[in-house]
Amino acid sequence: MDLGGGLLVSQISTFNKVWTTYEGGPNNLGATFFEPTGLSEGFFVLGCYCQHNNKPLHGWVLVGKDNSSTSNGALTKPVDYKLVWSSNSLKIKQDGQGYLWLPIAPDGYKPVGHVVTTSPAKPSLDKIRCVRSDLTDECTTHNSILKLWRTENKRFNVYDVRPIKRGIEAQSVSVGTFLVGQSGGTNSNALPIVCLKNTKANFSFMPNLSQIEAMIKAYSPYMYLHPMEKYLPSSVDWFFTHGALLYERTKGLIRGNSIEPTGTNLPQGGSNDDDVTYWLDLPVDETKRGSVKKGDLRSSQVYVHVKPMLGGTFTDIVMWVFYPFNGGARAKVACTNIPLRTKGEHVGDWEHVTLRVSNFNGELWSVYFSQHSKGQWVDASELEFQNGNRPVAYSSLHGHALFPKPGVVMQGMRGLGIRNDAAKSDAILDMANEFEIVAAEYLGSQIREPPWLNYWMNWGPKNGPKGPKQKDVWKGDER
């Protein structure tokens, strides 16, 4: 990919192992450090890669090529190295000894990654390249990969890093490298490494419509509902045509109106105020109300938003699922389950999974599972798959939070909290079968947004939830 300014990058997922520690990290299994291998002619290493020992090797880093014609090229050699950590004096289980080096960049350039060696001798200056400052952007620490041991009364950690600016308009590009930093000293303004920037900012690497449809069919999850689930998903059209009402409160006067199948009579954009308030609700008739609450799995559709992420180097395929009703929560105290009656109940529930696909090779790298107001990214190597490349998602009982594995996930501590029960059943939503691409801003007029997508008011009474386009993740990154 051409990021502009004479900088070409390629994504590398083949590595040589450099050094392994068998202590620290998750379950005290340690981590392994790798350097990219198999670079095409003219490309140079920008940084090494590190991951936990408790999962298969599955990662990537960017490598760079200088394609500029000016004297101050896009890439240059470091002028020196700083040793930031060594296992030399530590009595730990390790494969040899590890040395972690920070490249010292000349003026006008910045390092985007570290070098790892098994020797106390400084690496060759030709080992790595630094990047011209105008082609870089700030990054921040994300996850702690490994807590390293105390050296000279200082404790150092190894962190994942990612751009500070992330979203559909952000130009920052993740490099896939790691940061070695002192605990408590990872303020973004002081980070010794940076990420890259797509200075062309035209996101020309994004897939076209036929490629999007191919990726959806290849990678869409199978979503399993819980065997005891009462409240199933449905299409938005089914919800509207089976009696859902649009309520309007104007100067204290409330009236309810039926809704057109695609929501053409819903107010567009804007916000509620003291004079006029809108919300959606179930039918008034008790029989119809109970029926709509249950949803209709056969009518269900997946509503897809496609957006550039990390400077257009990845495509996020966000797959939204609608439920007419969200059921009440259950608490767990020690070994006792306690229904919380109406707590957690609300009309109009939106959940989603996000497929992050590399624009270098079309490979699925990770999946985000929404879980109430939060969620989790799961690496593709740790997913459950079905029928080839199709991941599996589990919708929790009544609350519809999504999880990568079946079981009970607790929100709380020490045996006290809210239960999230997930299990397989015969009720399955195949997200590749019935989907509608409702938004892909970068494709312009090729995608026509349905009217209901631009209804910005509440999808339920009493401060009901907002629709997909009003969520922070619509324009931003997942948490």
Side-chain angles (χ1 to χ4, degrees):
M1 291 185 182
D2 183 356
L3 297 184
L7 178 60
L8 304 182
V9 293
S10 180
Q11 188 181 68
I12 298 292
S13 56
T14 54
F15 300 99
N16 284 331
K17 187 185 82 167
V18 180
W19 177 68
T20 298
T21 169
Y22 299 104
E23 296 182 18
N27 301 316
N28 201 34
L29 294 175
T32 300
F33 296 79
F34 302 87
E35 62 182 15
T37 186
L39 280 64
S40 298
E41 184 177 355
F43 280 85
F44 291 92
V45 172
L46 302 178
C48 290
Y49 172 73
C50 176
Q51 73 164 52
H52 305 132
N53 290 338
N54 66 343
K55 69 174 187 177
L57 175 59
H58 185 257
W60 57 269
V61 293
L62 298 186
V63 296
K65 181 178 181 177
D66 193 340
N67 197 42
S68 61
S69 56
T70 59
S71 57
N72 60 330
L75 303 175
T76 193
K77 298 178 184 180
V79 296
D80 200 358
Y81 290 97
K82 176 184 178 182
L83 180 63
V84 291
W85 187 86
S86 167
S87 69
N88 183 41
S89 61
L90 300 177
K91 295 180 180 180
I92 58 173
K93 296 177 182 178
Q94 57 181 317
D95 185 5
Q97 295 173 346
Y99 299 82
L100 306 181
W101 306 86
L102 175 69
I104 306 301
D107 290 343
Y109 291 81
K110 294 181 180 180
V112 298
H114 293 271
V115 173
V116 183
T117 69
T118 55
S119 167
K122 287 185 179 181
S124 166
L125 295 179
D126 202 41
K127 183 76 173 179
I128 198 170
R129 291 294 186 267
C130 300
V131 183
R132 201 171 68 225
S133 297
D134 64 302
L135 304 177
T136 68
D137 214 339
E138 287 185 304
C139 61
T140 184
T141 56
H142 180 35
N143 294 319
S144 177
I145 302 174
L146 181 69
K147 291 184 178 179
L148 296 176
W149 297 267
R150 196 173 296 277
T151 303
E152 297 178 354
N153 297 319
K154 295 179 181 179
R155 182 177 291 280
F156 287 82
N157 290 352
V158 178
Y159 298 93
D160 275 333
V161 291
R162 62 181 181 179
I164 291 177
K165 301 172 185 176
R166 303 184 310 280
I168 62 175
E169 298 175 353
Q171 297 173 253
S172 302
V173 173
S174 180
V175 187
T177 55
F178 61 86
L179 170 71
V180 184
Q182 185 179 345
S183 297
T186 58
N187 183 280
S188 63
N189 294 326
L191 291 190
I193 66 172
V194 292
C195 63
L196 299 178
K197 182 190 292 185
N198 177 5
T199 58
K200 297 185 76 170
N202 60 9
F203 302 148
S204 59
F205 330 122
M206 292 293 292
N208 59 36
L209 193 55
S210 63
Q211 290 170 328
I212 292 170
E213 291 174 347
M215 289 190 291
I216 291 173
K217 292 175 181 177
Y219 298 136
S220 290
Y222 292 97
M223 188 185 80
Y224 283 91
L225 294 148
H226 193 276
M228 297 171 58
E229 183 61 69
K230 299 178 182 177
Y231 308 111
L232 304 176
S234 77
S235 68
V236 171
D237 290 9
W238 183 92
F239 179 60
F240 291 164
T241 57
H242 282 73
L245 296 172
L246 168 67
Y247 280 90
E248 177 184 347
R249 179 192 288 116
T250 305
K251 296 181 179 180
L253 178 65
I254 299 175
R255 61 179 180 180
N257 297 304
S258 59
I259 306 170
E260 295 297 322
T262 60
T264 51
N265 62 328
L266 294 174
Q268 301 289 285
S271 61
N272 288 322
D273 55 39
D274 293 337
D275 294 327
V276 182
T277 302
Y278 294 96
W279 68 91
L280 304 185
D281 203 351
L282 301 169
V284 175
D285 179 84
E286 284 299 324
T287 301
K288 289 185 178 179
R289 189 178 186 87
S291 177
V292 173
K293 264 189 180 184
K294 294 177 181 178
D296 183 71
L297 183 59
R298 292 173 300 177
S299 76
S300 292
Q301 280 192 298
V302 177
Y303 302 103
V304 178
H305 178 210
V306 185
K307 60 183 184 180
M309 192 54 59
L310 301 176
T313 55
F314 283 84
T315 294
D316 274 11
I317 301 174
V318 191
M319 311 190 79
W320 292 92
V321 179
F322 176 72
Y323 296 81
F325 194 75
N326 187 90
R330 291 196 303 165
K332 181 179 176 65
V333 181
C335 296
T336 305
N337 297 316
I338 305 173
L340 296 181
R341 297 183 181 179
T342 60
K343 183 175 178 57
E345 290 188 348
H346 58 82
V347 175
D349 184 25
W350 284 100
E351 303 291 345
H352 71 280
V353 295
T354 299
L355 311 175
R356 179 155 290 178
V357 180
S358 169
N359 286 337
F360 290 91
N361 55 22
E363 183 176 347
L364 176 68
W365 276 102
S366 55
V367 175
Y368 183 85
F369 297 80
S370 69
Q371 297 160 359
H372 309 301
S373 60
K374 298 182 180 180
Q376 67 178 125
W377 279 109
V378 179
D379 188 87
S381 66
E382 300 177 279
L383 292 169
E384 177 185 346
F385 286 93
Q386 188 172 312
N387 293 340
N389 296 323
R390 305 280 303 281
V392 174
Y394 295 88
S395 176
S396 67
L397 178 62
H398 293 175
H400 308 140
L402 291 164
F403 295 92
K405 304 290 183 185
V408 178
V409 177
M410 293 295 299
Q411 289 178 267
M413 298 177 63
R414 298 177 182 176
L416 173 64
I418 303 298
R419 292 179 60 107
N420 290 276
D421 295 80
K424 279 188 176 179
S425 73
D426 293 333
I428 308 169
L429 176 58
D430 182 346
M431 293 188 171
N433 271 356
E434 296 294 336
F435 66 87
E436 178 184 354
I437 301 172
V438 296
E441 290 86 349
Y442 73 94
L443 289 177
S445 60
Q446 294 183 59
I447 304 297
R448 184 177 180 182
E449 297 183 354
W452 60 259
L453 186 61
N454 290 294
Y455 168 72
W456 288 5
M457 314 307 179
N458 297 341
W459 283 72
K462 298 180 181 178
N463 300 314
K466 301 291 186 180
K469 207 169 185 178
Q470 289 301 95
K471 310 285 188 185
D472 291 340
V473 299
W474 187 265
K475 290 187 175 182
D477 191 10
E478 308 287 1
R479 298 185 180 185

